Amino acid sequence: MRGGGGRTGSPRSCPWLRTGPRRLALSRPAAPVSFPAGSSSAAVRPSPRCCRPRLPAPAPAPGLAMLRRCAPGSPGPGPLRQALPPSASALRHRLRQCAERIPEAEAVLDLLEKCPEHQKKGDFPVIVFEGLDATGKTTVTEAVKDNLNGILLRSPPPCISQWRTVFDDEPTPIKRAFYAAGNYILASEIAKASTQAPVIIDRYWHSTAAYTIATETNGKVQDLPPAHDEVYQWPEDLLKPDLVLLLTVDPEERALRLQRRGLEKTKEEAELEANSLFRQRVEESYRRMVNPACQEVDASPSKEEVLKTVLQLINKHCFVKTTSV
């Protein structure tokens, strides 16, 4: 990717995408899939064979709770850690276990194998924008990219975003492994881009973690894992940004923006709209993230005022000279 030109990432920014179709074209015999300890064998759907007698469904594994939301008041860091892979090696292991059944998982693995471990960023700052849909991330990231003459990247990256619908219908451990993998693939692009220009990112690890924690926990904000729990920590082997800005707006204003956009809602976005407790858990999970923590920005004012606030924070934390708004 060329730096300094303010270009947005595209499918061509993932040079290994061509390996995906080739692997997907392979025909493999169905094989039983084993999940890590604590996962549900009933979630596996191997292709039937005409020569194999139909057997009764196996009994649920003792750790079926891994695939279910935790009971109110007891989210439990164990199941959450199992739902959210803590490292690249953990998510690779999980994707390998379902690659026979889900060809797209093998394609994601191909991309991960091309990514060097422990990515290092370049000399230019890396700035992440987080927040719920309709909080202004697209508008602000585009404006900041132009102001800094930077490079804009999004998560999940284009080379795997085409498979979101496939993994969104899978059990929680597989779904979260897919989104976690997107962060590590994106980190490879960040490492290269940050040697050329400032890098602006529309969502990164904090989104993956916040939605996992909020989904796997039932109840109110008080039922989330306590502050400083390990589930809020950044993975040790994932490239860190210099600054994370969390855009927030009033719930009513966000609902109006979504209505004006008229876009098809994802399952999680539909739940955000219908379930105020889920929305509160997501936002509070964002606020509890550490190393790095999120700097909260009220995105309710005009886009000019929001951009001015954002640029001031970038100047303060990244020592980057920005043009006036």
Side-chain angles (χ1 to χ4, degrees):
M1 180 178 295
R2 298 178 183 175
R7 299 186 62 182
T8 303
S10 65
R12 297 183 63 184
S13 66
C14 293
W16 321 296
L17 182 58
R18 59 181 178 272
T19 64
R22 173 178 59 82
R23 302 301 293 267
L24 294 178
L26 295 177
S27 175
R28 297 190 175 211
V33 182
S34 59
F35 282 93
S39 61
S40 171
S41 59
V44 180
R45 302 185 299 274
S47 301
R49 293 187 179 184
C50 60
C51 58
R52 177 177 297 173
R54 181 167 300 189
L55 300 176
L64 184 60
M66 171 182 169
L67 300 181
R68 295 176 178 169
R69 298 178 183 178
C70 304
S74 58
L80 277 173
R81 268 303 180 189
Q82 289 176 313
L84 186 65
S87 66
S89 60
L91 68 91
R92 284 193 186 100
H93 178 70
R94 190 171 300 174
L95 289 172
R96 287 192 193 100
Q97 291 181 312
C98 64
E100 294 289 343
R101 182 174 63 85
I102 310 172
E104 292 85 355
E106 187 173 351
V108 173
L109 279 167
D110 283 343
L111 299 179
L112 281 170
E113 292 300 327
K114 302 295 192 302
C115 299
E117 295 185 2
H118 299 284
Q119 298 282 352
K120 301 292 184 181
K121 81 176 195 69
D123 294 331
F124 289 92
V126 176
I127 304 154
V128 176
F129 287 85
E130 295 283 6
L132 306 181
D133 284 350
T135 53
K137 292 189 304 299
T138 300
T139 300
V140 174
T141 52
E142 290 283 356
V144 172
K145 175 206 63 172
D146 294 339
N147 191 285
L148 300 183
N149 195 27
I151 298 171
L152 176 58
L153 301 174
R154 292 187 171 91
S155 179
C159 54
I160 69 167
S161 60
Q162 60 188 311
W163 300 318
R164 290 181 68 171
T165 55
V166 173
F167 288 92
D168 280 348
D169 289 333
E170 292 296 329
T172 295
I174 301 174
K175 176 181 178 180
R176 297 307 174 187
F178 167 75
Y179 284 101
N183 290 306
Y184 285 90
I185 294 170
L186 182 64
S188 184
E189 291 300 312
I190 296 169
K192 290 180 285 188
S194 61
T195 64
Q196 305 164 13
V199 180
I200 296 87
I201 308 171
D202 186 342
R203 289 187 171 175
Y204 196 22
W205 176 262
H206 284 346
S207 281
T208 302
Y211 278 85
T212 300
I213 295 167
T215 301
E216 297 303 301
T217 306
N218 276 339
K220 301 179 181 180
V221 167
Q222 299 93 301
D223 298 316
L224 289 170
H228 309 300
D229 189 279
E230 64 175 357
V231 298
Y232 302 115
Q233 289 281 344
W234 191 271
E236 293 183 359
D237 61 346
L238 181 62
L239 184 149
K240 290 183 183 179
D242 296 285
L243 178 64
V244 181
L245 299 176
L246 174 63
L247 303 183
T248 61
V249 296
D250 181 85
E252 289 74 18
E253 170 63 21
R254 197 181 75 87
L256 287 174
R257 293 182 183 184
L258 282 170
Q259 188 175 10
R260 287 196 294 264
R261 284 165 57 173
L263 300 178
E264 183 179 354
K265 297 183 182 71
T266 62
K267 291 181 180 178
E268 286 176 337
E269 179 53 45
E271 187 166 0
L272 282 171
E273 185 175 336
N275 188 338
S276 62
L277 290 179
F278 178 63
R279 182 179 67 249
Q280 292 168 20
R281 294 197 303 270
V282 173
E283 291 185 324
E284 182 60 25
S285 296
Y286 271 126
R287 296 186 180 103
R288 295 186 184 186
M289 296 297 168
V290 294
N291 193 31
C294 296
Q295 301 287 325
E296 194 165 341
V297 176
D298 181 8
S300 300
S302 67
K303 61 182 181 182
E304 291 79 14
E305 291 180 73
V306 175
L307 179 59
K308 182 178 180 180
T309 300
V310 165
L311 293 178
Q312 288 174 345
L313 287 169
I314 293 173
N315 282 330
K316 177 181 177 181
H317 292 276
C318 302
F319 307 104
V320 177
K321 185 176 182 181
T322 59
T323 59
S324 57
V325 181

